Amino acid sequence: MSEKQMNVESFNLDHTKVKAPYVRLAGVKEGIHGDKIFKYDLRISQPNKEHMEMPALHSLEHLTAELARNHTDKILDIGPMGCQTGFYWSLINHEDYDDVLDIIEKTLKDVLEADEVPACNPTQCGWAASHSLEGAKELARDLLAKRGEWDQVFA
Ligand code: ZN
């Protein structure tokens, strides 16, 4: 593996050393007015061992994007990783790590209660055929079962 420092924070993370699931503060950016963006790495699947299937991941993205905003007004973005092993949660002016874990927990509990995937139609989504509510619930269930391990990033 290269020792060279890279521009992207997660490219400097040794993915063979982490233990999913976890929530890790991946970076903080401060704007000129003092506002701070906190970017969290919510790793769901163990890197290079497993990954989320696209329909389940996609539905979990829609569900968490919509439902998390019922618990906080600090969400900037919840974006899936291209490797399909997790999501980046970006929050503005929210430094409290434990509260972020609570927001994620509440959001995932809402996912379990959902009757449908929000906005999974060709008007509101770019790949409306690729969804699985049951798949998203399974991911949420597995994550919640390991709630006590989320603050442990490395094995
Ligand atoms: Zn979509």
mmCIF file of all heavy atoms in Angstrom, residues 60 64 67 71 101-114 137 140-141 143-145 147 150:
data_model
loop_
_atom_site.group_PDB
_atom_site.id
_atom_site.type_symbol
_atom_site.label_atom_id
_atom_site.label_comp_id
_atom_site.label_asym_id
_atom_site.label_seq_id
_atom_site.Cartn_x
_atom_site.Cartn_y
_atom_site.Cartn_z
ATOM 1 N N LEU A 60 -32.398 2.590 1.279
ATOM 2 C CA LEU A 60 -31.935 3.102 2.574
ATOM 3 C C LEU A 60 -31.507 4.566 2.430
ATOM 4 O O LEU A 60 -31.736 5.370 3.334
ATOM 5 C CB LEU A 60 -30.779 2.240 3.103
ATOM 6 C CG LEU A 60 -30.338 2.536 4.536
ATOM 7 C CD1 LEU A 60 -31.477 2.298 5.523
ATOM 8 C CD2 LEU A 60 -29.117 1.690 4.922
ATOM 9 N N THR A 64 -33.384 7.270 4.715
ATOM 10 C CA THR A 64 -32.646 8.029 5.719
ATOM 11 C C THR A 64 -32.608 9.513 5.349
ATOM 12 O O THR A 64 -32.712 10.367 6.228
ATOM 13 C CB THR A 64 -31.206 7.493 5.926
ATOM 14 O OG1 THR A 64 -30.531 7.426 4.683
ATOM 15 C CG2 THR A 64 -31.225 6.118 6.553
ATOM 16 N N LEU A 67 -36.144 10.726 6.390
ATOM 17 C CA LEU A 67 -36.526 10.536 7.799
ATOM 18 C C LEU A 67 -35.568 11.217 8.785
ATOM 19 O O LEU A 67 -36.003 11.692 9.844
ATOM 20 C CB LEU A 67 -36.628 9.043 8.108
ATOM 21 C CG LEU A 67 -37.719 8.308 7.320
ATOM 22 C CD1 LEU A 67 -37.555 6.796 7.457
ATOM 23 C CD2 LEU A 67 -39.110 8.754 7.764
ATOM 24 N N HIS A 71 -35.542 14.499 12.636
ATOM 25 C CA HIS A 71 -34.886 14.481 13.947
ATOM 26 C C HIS A 71 -33.891 15.618 14.142
ATOM 27 O O HIS A 71 -33.457 15.873 15.261
ATOM 28 C CB HIS A 71 -34.186 13.137 14.156
ATOM 29 C CG HIS A 71 -35.139 11.991 14.147
ATOM 30 N ND1 HIS A 71 -36.114 11.818 15.100
ATOM 31 C CD2 HIS A 71 -35.319 10.979 13.249
ATOM 32 C CE1 HIS A 71 -36.833 10.746 14.808
ATOM 33 N NE2 HIS A 71 -36.380 10.220 13.705
ATOM 34 N N LEU A 101 -24.966 9.728 16.756
ATOM 35 C CA LEU A 101 -25.320 8.305 16.859
ATOM 36 C C LEU A 101 -26.798 8.157 17.194
ATOM 37 O O LEU A 101 -27.493 7.292 16.643
ATOM 38 C CB LEU A 101 -24.477 7.600 17.931
ATOM 39 C CG LEU A 101 -22.968 7.553 17.760
ATOM 40 C CD1 LEU A 101 -22.361 6.528 18.718
ATOM 41 C CD2 LEU A 101 -22.539 7.252 16.348
ATOM 42 N N ASP A 102 -27.300 9.006 18.089
ATOM 43 C CA ASP A 102 -28.724 8.942 18.455
ATOM 44 C C ASP A 102 -29.621 9.283 17.264
ATOM 45 O O ASP A 102 -30.666 8.651 17.073
ATOM 46 C CB ASP A 102 -29.030 9.908 19.617
ATOM 47 C CG ASP A 102 -28.498 9.390 20.941
ATOM 48 O OD1 ASP A 102 -28.227 8.168 21.043
ATOM 49 O OD2 ASP A 102 -28.356 10.194 21.883
ATOM 50 N N ILE A 103 -29.220 10.276 16.480
ATOM 51 C CA ILE A 103 -30.009 10.654 15.294
ATOM 52 C C ILE A 103 -30.045 9.485 14.303
ATOM 53 O O ILE A 103 -31.100 9.143 13.747
ATOM 54 C CB ILE A 103 -29.409 11.916 14.621
ATOM 55 C CG1 ILE A 103 -29.613 13.141 15.521
ATOM 56 C CG2 ILE A 103 -30.041 12.151 13.249
ATOM 57 C CD1 ILE A 103 -28.775 14.358 15.104
ATOM 58 N N ILE A 104 -28.906 8.848 14.107
ATOM 59 C CA ILE A 104 -28.849 7.698 13.188
ATOM 60 C C ILE A 104 -29.734 6.570 13.722
ATOM 61 O O ILE A 104 -30.500 5.952 12.968
ATOM 62 C CB ILE A 104 -27.391 7.226 12.983
ATOM 63 C CG1 ILE A 104 -26.586 8.315 12.256
ATOM 64 C CG2 ILE A 104 -27.349 5.910 12.218
ATOM 65 C CD1 ILE A 104 -25.082 8.053 12.184
ATOM 66 N N GLU A 105 -29.655 6.326 15.037
ATOM 67 C CA GLU A 105 -30.473 5.264 15.643
ATOM 68 C C GLU A 105 -31.967 5.544 15.451
ATOM 69 O O GLU A 105 -32.727 4.667 15.031
ATOM 70 C CB GLU A 105 -30.140 5.153 17.129
ATOM 71 C CG GLU A 105 -30.984 4.087 17.839
ATOM 72 C CD GLU A 105 -30.679 4.000 19.337
ATOM 73 O OE1 GLU A 105 -29.782 4.708 19.828
ATOM 74 O OE2 GLU A 105 -31.374 3.214 20.013
ATOM 75 N N LYS A 106 -32.390 6.769 15.758
ATOM 76 C CA LYS A 106 -33.813 7.124 15.603
ATOM 77 C C LYS A 106 -34.255 6.979 14.149
ATOM 78 O O LYS A 106 -35.362 6.488 13.872
ATOM 79 C CB LYS A 106 -34.047 8.577 16.050
ATOM 80 C CG LYS A 106 -34.015 8.789 17.543
ATOM 81 C CD LYS A 106 -34.200 10.287 17.846
ATOM 82 C CE LYS A 106 -33.831 10.613 19.281
ATOM 83 N NZ LYS A 106 -33.573 12.050 19.460
ATOM 84 N N THR A 107 -33.381 7.407 13.242
ATOM 85 C CA THR A 107 -33.709 7.344 11.814
ATOM 86 C C THR A 107 -33.877 5.892 11.367
ATOM 87 O O THR A 107 -34.822 5.558 10.634
ATOM 88 C CB THR A 107 -32.596 8.040 10.994
ATOM 89 O OG1 THR A 107 -32.467 9.395 11.443
ATOM 90 C CG2 THR A 107 -32.920 8.019 9.509
ATOM 91 N N LEU A 108 -32.981 5.020 11.829
ATOM 92 C CA LEU A 108 -33.068 3.612 11.429
ATOM 93 C C LEU A 108 -34.310 2.940 12.025
ATOM 94 O O LEU A 108 -34.913 2.068 11.395
ATOM 95 C CB LEU A 108 -31.800 2.862 11.858
ATOM 96 C CG LEU A 108 -30.525 3.282 11.131
ATOM 97 C CD1 LEU A 108 -29.305 2.610 11.751
ATOM 98 C CD2 LEU A 108 -30.597 2.968 9.641
ATOM 99 N N LYS A 109 -34.701 3.371 13.230
ATOM 100 C CA LYS A 109 -35.941 2.839 13.812
ATOM 101 C C LYS A 109 -37.139 3.267 12.970
ATOM 102 O O LYS A 109 -38.088 2.494 12.793
ATOM 103 C CB LYS A 109 -36.085 3.294 15.263
ATOM 104 C CG LYS A 109 -35.145 2.520 16.189
ATOM 105 C CD LYS A 109 -35.240 2.984 17.634
ATOM 106 C CE LYS A 109 -34.405 2.072 18.541
ATOM 107 N NZ LYS A 109 -34.210 2.647 19.884
ATOM 108 N N ASP A 110 -37.092 4.489 12.452
ATOM 109 C CA ASP A 110 -38.155 4.941 11.547
ATOM 110 C C ASP A 110 -38.179 4.106 10.269
ATOM 111 O O ASP A 110 -39.252 3.831 9.723
ATOM 112 C CB ASP A 110 -37.937 6.410 11.149
ATOM 113 C CG ASP A 110 -38.107 7.367 12.312
ATOM 114 O OD1 ASP A 110 -38.678 6.969 13.344
ATOM 115 O OD2 ASP A 110 -37.668 8.527 12.176
ATOM 116 N N VAL A 111 -36.989 3.740 9.784
ATOM 117 C CA VAL A 111 -36.916 2.918 8.568
ATOM 118 C C VAL A 111 -37.681 1.615 8.783
ATOM 119 O O VAL A 111 -38.425 1.165 7.905
ATOM 120 C CB VAL A 111 -35.438 2.639 8.184
ATOM 121 C CG1 VAL A 111 -35.350 1.570 7.095
ATOM 122 C CG2 VAL A 111 -34.747 3.922 7.734
ATOM 123 N N LEU A 112 -37.534 1.027 9.974
ATOM 124 C CA LEU A 112 -38.219 -0.243 10.259
ATOM 125 C C LEU A 112 -39.733 -0.085 10.232
ATOM 126 O O LEU A 112 -40.459 -1.049 9.978
ATOM 127 C CB LEU A 112 -37.779 -0.793 11.624
ATOM 128 C CG LEU A 112 -36.309 -1.184 11.743
ATOM 129 C CD1 LEU A 112 -36.034 -1.782 13.118
ATOM 130 C CD2 LEU A 112 -35.893 -2.168 10.658
ATOM 131 N N GLU A 113 -40.214 1.130 10.517
ATOM 132 C CA GLU A 113 -41.660 1.392 10.556
ATOM 133 C C GLU A 113 -42.223 1.814 9.201
ATOM 134 O O GLU A 113 -43.444 1.945 9.053
ATOM 135 C CB GLU A 113 -41.959 2.517 11.560
ATOM 136 C CG GLU A 113 -41.513 2.233 12.991
ATOM 137 C CD GLU A 113 -42.227 1.032 13.576
ATOM 138 O OE1 GLU A 113 -43.454 0.929 13.373
ATOM 139 O OE2 GLU A 113 -41.557 0.185 14.193
ATOM 140 N N ALA A 114 -41.366 2.055 8.241
ATOM 141 C CA ALA A 114 -41.818 2.632 6.962
ATOM 142 C C ALA A 114 -42.682 1.646 6.168
ATOM 143 O O ALA A 114 -42.417 0.444 6.146
ATOM 144 C CB ALA A 114 -40.610 3.053 6.138
ATOM 145 N N LYS A 137 -34.791 -2.362 5.150
ATOM 146 C CA LYS A 137 -35.143 -2.702 6.536
ATOM 147 C C LYS A 137 -34.169 -3.725 7.121
ATOM 148 O O LYS A 137 -33.814 -3.657 8.295
ATOM 149 C CB LYS A 137 -36.573 -3.244 6.599
ATOM 150 C CG LYS A 137 -37.617 -2.168 6.394
ATOM 151 C CD LYS A 137 -39.009 -2.680 6.665
ATOM 152 C CE LYS A 137 -40.010 -1.552 6.467
ATOM 153 N NZ LYS A 137 -41.366 -1.904 6.905
ATOM 154 N N ALA A 140 -31.114 -1.873 8.127
ATOM 155 C CA ALA A 140 -31.389 -1.091 9.334
ATOM 156 C C ALA A 140 -31.436 -1.996 10.565
ATOM 157 O O ALA A 140 -30.881 -1.663 11.622
ATOM 158 C CB ALA A 140 -32.708 -0.333 9.179
ATOM 159 N N ARG A 141 -32.083 -3.144 10.419
ATOM 160 C CA ARG A 141 -32.201 -4.097 11.528
ATOM 161 C C ARG A 141 -30.826 -4.578 11.981
ATOM 162 O O ARG A 141 -30.513 -4.614 13.171
ATOM 163 C CB ARG A 141 -33.068 -5.287 11.076
ATOM 164 C CG ARG A 141 -33.982 -5.837 12.129
ATOM 165 C CD ARG A 141 -34.904 -6.918 11.555
ATOM 166 N NE ARG A 141 -36.023 -6.373 10.809
ATOM 167 C CZ ARG A 141 -36.300 -6.630 9.512
ATOM 168 N NH1 ARG A 141 -35.522 -7.467 8.818
ATOM 169 N NH2 ARG A 141 -37.333 -6.094 8.927
ATOM 170 N N LEU A 143 -27.941 -3.142 11.511
ATOM 171 C CA LEU A 143 -27.184 -2.029 12.096
ATOM 172 C C LEU A 143 -27.622 -1.769 13.532
ATOM 173 O O LEU A 143 -26.791 -1.582 14.425
ATOM 174 C CB LEU A 143 -27.432 -0.766 11.275
ATOM 175 C CG LEU A 143 -26.352 -0.322 10.296
ATOM 176 C CD1 LEU A 143 -26.865 0.847 9.479
ATOM 177 C CD2 LEU A 143 -25.088 0.055 11.029
ATOM 178 N N LEU A 144 -28.924 -1.742 13.747
ATOM 179 C CA LEU A 144 -29.445 -1.471 15.092
ATOM 180 C C LEU A 144 -29.051 -2.568 16.073
ATOM 181 O O LEU A 144 -28.811 -2.299 17.255
ATOM 182 C CB LEU A 144 -30.970 -1.314 15.045
ATOM 183 C CG LEU A 144 -31.462 0.005 14.444
ATOM 184 C CD1 LEU A 144 -32.956 -0.068 14.133
ATOM 185 C CD2 LEU A 144 -31.167 1.176 15.376
ATOM 186 N N ALA A 145 -28.939 -3.794 15.588
ATOM 187 C CA ALA A 145 -28.549 -4.913 16.455
ATOM 188 C C ALA A 145 -27.128 -4.726 16.985
ATOM 189 O O ALA A 145 -26.771 -5.278 18.025
ATOM 190 C CB ALA A 145 -28.662 -6.228 15.694
ATOM 191 N N ARG A 147 -25.789 -1.624 17.633
ATOM 192 C CA ARG A 147 -25.751 -0.221 18.072
ATOM 193 C C ARG A 147 -24.612 0.026 19.072
ATOM 194 O O ARG A 147 -23.963 1.072 19.055
ATOM 195 C CB ARG A 147 -27.097 0.148 18.695
ATOM 196 C CG ARG A 147 -27.159 1.494 19.403
ATOM 197 C CD ARG A 147 -26.988 2.646 18.426
ATOM 198 N NE ARG A 147 -27.141 3.934 19.086
ATOM 199 C CZ ARG A 147 -26.159 4.588 19.705
ATOM 200 N NH1 ARG A 147 -24.956 4.058 19.769
ATOM 201 N NH2 ARG A 147 -26.375 5.765 20.260
ATOM 202 N N TRP A 150 -21.056 0.909 17.461
ATOM 203 C CA TRP A 150 -20.874 1.966 16.445
ATOM 204 C C TRP A 150 -19.713 2.888 16.734
ATOM 205 O O TRP A 150 -19.163 3.473 15.805
ATOM 206 C CB TRP A 150 -22.140 2.817 16.308
ATOM 207 C CG TRP A 150 -23.324 2.107 15.728
ATOM 208 C CD1 TRP A 150 -23.394 0.803 15.315
ATOM 209 C CD2 TRP A 150 -24.619 2.667 15.490
ATOM 210 N NE1 TRP A 150 -24.648 0.527 14.846
ATOM 211 C CE2 TRP A 150 -25.417 1.653 14.936
ATOM 212 C CE3 TRP A 150 -25.167 3.934 15.693
ATOM 213 C CZ2 TRP A 150 -26.748 1.870 14.595
ATOM 214 C CZ3 TRP A 150 -26.490 4.156 15.350
ATOM 215 C CH2 TRP A 150 -27.277 3.116 14.797
#
